[in-house]
Every structure is written in structure tokens, then in C-alpha cells.
Amino acid sequence: MQDILFDFISKYISLTEDEKNAILSLDLFRSVKKGTILLKEGQKSQECYFVLKGCMRKYYIIDGEEKTTAFYTEMDALTPHCVMNRAPSDYFISCVEDSILTVSNADMEVEINSKFPKFETMCGKLSEELLAKQQINFDEFKTSSPEQRYLNLLQNRPDLIQRVPQHQLASYLGIKPQSLSRLRARILEKKS
């Protein structure tokens, strides 16, 4: 798993053996079972996540109903809002699949950034990319119909169709599971 992480980092900065060893010394790697809740609504946390293998889901519970707002799969990072604002979380994060994650916190980041300032540069680039990606996703969601959202999902993240339970996928698309079934049937009918 460390090779996967180092390959990802090498897209942004080159690493010396000392830097690789410093990262490994932080003991970042965690195996997490499917169904594990990493963060609960109302809980405070300092943990940031990076998915090496598997799938995580971010969701709210509103009037007793789960509302999925994001899925994080291989090479996706997630810093919960509660880490940044030091307040209780408004949402849940759980593992949809058995996953291998890196789990870090602000203290670890400060330690690495002070020893190796180029990590701060990499984090800045990653933050910019993530912000741009989230803005595009938000705009697409707000300006598209449920059918367009599903077609976008098929085009941009087809793996989720097989990896995620239908009720979670429907929630992510902003529709009921029954509507998703009808939508899928309608799309299949158009293709034939």
C-alpha cells in the first residue's frame, strides 16, 4: 500500500528516501471493515482520510432518512469540516466496502511540513484541485435533472454503479430508489 501512496505523491513532488521513511514512521495505514462508521454526527474529530483502496460515504440523517452527499474512492482525500472548524460534525462518514486508508491529523501534517516544506506545496495543489472538482460537481448537480445526474455518473464514475447499494446511489442522485429503477429502465429502453 505504501507504493500506491508514494506513486500518488510522486505526481506532485519527488520524494527522497528520508521523506519516504518520515511518512512511514507516522503509521498512517489503516484497514477498515465495510460498515464501519468513521465519524458520527455530533462527534468531534481531528482525523483526515485518504483512500488507497475501497469506498467511503459521507451522509446526513435528515428526518430519519439518510442523505448521501459524496463517495470517496481510490486516490480521494477527505478532510471533514469538523477538523477545520473544530466543531462537532454535521454528518456521518462510513465505509461502503472493506477499505485501506491513510489516517492523519493536523499534528502529523505540521510535523511533516516543518521537516519537509515541499509537502505544504503539494497539499496546496491538492486543495486547489479538490476545490475545483467539488465546485464542478456541485454546479453539475444543481443544473441537471436526475436523469442527467445518472448519465454523468455513468460517464464519470461508472465504478460506483457496481460498488454502491442502490438506495445509497439514489440518495446521492437526489431521488428515491424506485425512481432510480424507473430511470435505469427508461435509459435501457432508449438504448434498444
Side-chain angles (χ1 to χ4, degrees), residues 84-101:
M84 305 305 289
N85 62 19
R86 302 191 191 300
S89 177
D90 294 331
Y91 51 79
F92 294 78
I93 299 170
S94 68
C95 289
V96 177
E97 302 173 333
D98 289 346
S99 300
I100 299 174
L101 313 171

Side-chain angles (χ1 to χ4, degrees), residues 9 13 15 18-19 22-23 25-26 28 48 79 84 104-127:
I9 291 171
I13 57 175
L15 292 174
D18 284 346
E19 291 162 341
I23 291 171
S25 74
L26 295 173
L28 300 171
C48 305
T79 299
M84 305 305 289
S104 64
N105 60 46
D107 293 339
M108 292 172 164
E109 290 173 17
V110 166
E111 180 184 334
I112 284 289
N113 290 343
S114 67
K115 288 181 185 174
F116 308 104
K118 67 182 173 183
F119 279 103
E120 208 161 352
T121 304
M122 181 189 81
C123 289
K125 288 179 187 175
L126 280 170
S127 294

